[in-house]
Amino acid sequence: MRFSADIPARRWFGFISTVGALLAAAPSQAQTYDPGFPVCMHVFTGASDGGGGGWFDCSFTSLPQCRATASGRAATCDPNPHYRANVAPPLHQPRQNAR
């Protein structure tokens, strides 16, 4: 009976390990918008329960290019809200030598 004090610690360790494993196995969602392209196409997929759904394809360089691809599909083309255009590079400030 010398190890009876260790049982609660083992149970806590087992519980924490199990919860950690479950959280690590949870599905994650990738970023929806690719910031490298200025235009995204939202393709709609109708769900059987009447709800909406779909996915984004942010691989277009112009609205006409996207609209040509979206033609005849349940899709719309919009400017990418996360496109990094005309972003000024960080200003390089030379170090001042300490004297």
Side-chain angles (χ1 to χ4, degrees):
M1 293 275 164
R2 198 170 66 175
F3 297 105
S4 64
D6 290 339
I7 293 173
R10 285 186 213 162
R11 285 187 181 165
W12 273 112
F13 180 74
F15 174 74
I16 290 171
S17 297
T18 303
V19 169
L22 291 173
L23 291 175
S28 63
Q29 186 174 6
Q31 182 175 349
T32 304
Y33 298 100
D34 181 359
F37 292 92
V39 180
C40 293
M41 176 175 62
H42 184 189
V43 180
F44 298 98
T45 57
S48 61
D49 62 355
W55 47 275
F56 288 88
D57 179 4
C58 296
S59 62
F60 300 97
T61 57
S62 67
L63 280 171
Q65 179 192 24
C66 178
R67 289 180 182 141
T69 305
S71 178
R73 302 170 77 175
T76 61
C77 295
D78 298 305
N80 186 349
H82 299 283
Y83 177 60
R84 294 184 208 143
N86 301 325
V87 176
L91 297 175
H92 176 67
Q93 297 178 353
R95 286 185 163 185
Q96 297 289 333
N97 291 337
R99 295 182 186 186

